[in-house]
Amino acid sequence: MSGSRLGIGEPGDTPHLAGVVVAGLHGVRLPDGAVGDVLIDAGSVAAAAPGEGTALDAGGWRVLPSACEPHAHLDKALTGSRMDPAAGNDLLTAISAWRSMLPGIDTADIAARAMAAIEQYVARGITAIRSHVDVPLEGDRFRGVDALVAVREQLRGRVDLQVCLLAGSEADDGVVAEAVARGIDVVGGCPHLAPDPHHEVTRMLDVAERHGLPIDLHADEQTDITLPDDGLDVVDLARKSIARGMDAPGRVTASHCVRLGVLPPERLDRVVELVAAARMGVVTLPITNLYLQGRGLTHAAPRALTAVRALLDAGVPLAAGGDNLRDPFNPVGRADPFETTSLLMTAGHLRGAEALAAVTSGARAVMGLPPAGTAPGERADLMLVPDVDPGDVLAGATDARIVLHGGRVVADTRTARALDLVPDRSRPALAR
């Protein structure tokens, strides 16, 4: 350890820590509520002695594992200004709106928007992102893949970016093979939009198995339940994963799974039991699915989340993310994990600790990443927030954040506020 020591300062101070390699956090509020120290060596939490770097006096701050975005669309991000502000899209309308934009979008455009979106994610506490990416029907079909692979390499060592193919059924086997050759990390597709969903699930599993890659499929992204159990994407994916011996943690992921949230109990129990047996991960995406689903219904509109309680109770790894970011599929969003935790608590009725796990430890498990946190041996991917009530943090009420990736500060965001409400500056004491 170099012996240098630096105070973090107050949430309203000028940011000054970006780029600092941290050897320890001292006097910080730990996840269990105690005040203590976190020692860091070579990117991981150390049991005894810190490594080279700067010790930070962290009194007045709370440390949490940094967050993940397990399901983004960086090729689409921040295109909302290019669409009709009065539009209200369901899934198919959003797909059409996106495809109408594509002729004017090139590799440089995708890379620039992806980087701008990642800056927002990281500033808000996210150090790992899995981004799906299209292979468009026209023009350079690999412009999105190439852009995100290049961004991934540019950010290596600062952000863990996984590039996941989003291959529609119109992307033939040759296109999929070429995307793999260009460096994608995860195989993905959208079987519920294919003419033959069963064939599409099989095809994507074939690719993943052949190349030894994990698979993450958009699955059952509708709220109708007219299909029998055999017709559900997640059932098909689970059965075939088990049959192939791909039932290992982090290997197979089903994203969305909105249909599970509206299945009656007698059907849901069977499906969740199968998903648990396949050791699949499930990603729920509240903000985008709440926006896209249930349009046109005059009453009893579904909440458009997967069956989060049943999945957690069955021991299924559950991750949560924001999905789209200010584009035709979601015109809003803050790239903020605590926006997601807030929605999981209000729309999904999860407890605070469960909501936090869905954007931290649960997301890392689904993404196949090693654990991050404050225990010895865990990755020093950490987030410091003001030492306020945890409920305020989960509600997204705190803006100041200091974000570490492998012990290095990759973002330092401070906020200052001045109000003029009570002329004599008096205010009642806040009971705690």
Side-chain angles (χ1 to χ4, degrees), residues 35 40 62 79 96 113 175 192 206 214 228 250 299 312 358 361 371 377 390 392 396 418 424 427:
V35 173
I40 300 172
R62 177 183 294 271
T79 55
S96 178
R113 285 184 291 99
V175 170
H192 62 87
D206 286 344
H299 62 286
L312 283 175
S361 58
D392 291 340
D424 64 359
R427 57 179 295 187

Side-chain angles (χ1 to χ4, degrees), residues 161-395:
L161 176 58
Q162 298 177 351
V163 181
C164 179
L165 179 68
L166 179 52
S169 58
E170 64 277 0
D172 62 29
D173 290 353
V175 170
V176 174
E178 179 63 20
V180 172
R182 290 179 183 234
I184 63 166
D185 303 291
V186 185
V187 173
C190 200
H192 62 87
L193 296 178
D196 184 348
H198 290 295
H199 174 266
E200 197 64 10
V201 170
T202 299
R203 187 170 78 106
M204 292 297 106
L205 282 168
D206 286 344
V207 175
E209 191 172 26
R210 185 181 311 123
H211 295 280
L213 294 175
I215 183 170
D216 185 343
L217 296 182
H218 286 56
D220 297 303
E221 197 180 352
Q222 299 102 334
T223 54
D224 71 272
I225 53 172
T226 56
L227 293 176
D229 289 0
D230 287 347
L232 298 179
D233 300 327
V234 71
V235 168
D236 195 24
L237 181 60
R239 286 176 175 168
K240 290 174 178 174
S241 298
I242 293 171
R244 292 166 182 254
M246 296 175 67
D247 49 338
R251 187 76 190 276
V252 177
T253 302
S255 289
H256 295 290
C257 300
V258 176
R259 278 199 181 105
L260 272 60
V262 290
L263 287 180
E266 64 276 9
R267 293 186 63 186
L268 178 63
D269 291 346
R270 296 193 300 267
V271 173
V272 170
E273 182 180 4
L274 178 62
V275 171
R279 297 201 285 179
M280 292 166 48
V282 172
V283 181
T284 186
L285 302 156
I287 189 169
T288 295
N289 282 137
L290 288 168
Y291 172 73
L292 291 174
Q293 301 296 328
R295 290 183 177 272
L297 298 179
T298 59
H299 62 286
R303 292 193 176 194
L305 274 70
T306 193
V308 290
R309 170 55 53 206
L311 291 166
L312 283 175
D313 289 348
V316 175
L318 180 71
D323 199 357
N324 295 81
L325 177 64
R326 297 197 291 281
D327 65 19
F329 298 79
N330 174 23
V332 293
R334 303 193 304 268
D336 190 337
F338 297 129
E339 181 175 47
T340 300
T341 57
S342 176
L343 287 169
L344 289 174
M345 294 171 73
T346 54
H349 295 164
L350 293 190
R351 303 177 186 93
E354 293 168 331
L356 179 62
V359 300
T360 55
S361 58
R364 292 187 75 88
V366 169
M367 295 173 69
L369 297 171
T374 58
E378 291 186 327
R379 182 78 177 160
D381 281 20
L382 303 169
M383 170 176 24
L384 293 166
V385 297
D387 186 13
V388 297
D389 185 88
D392 291 340
V393 178
L394 295 173

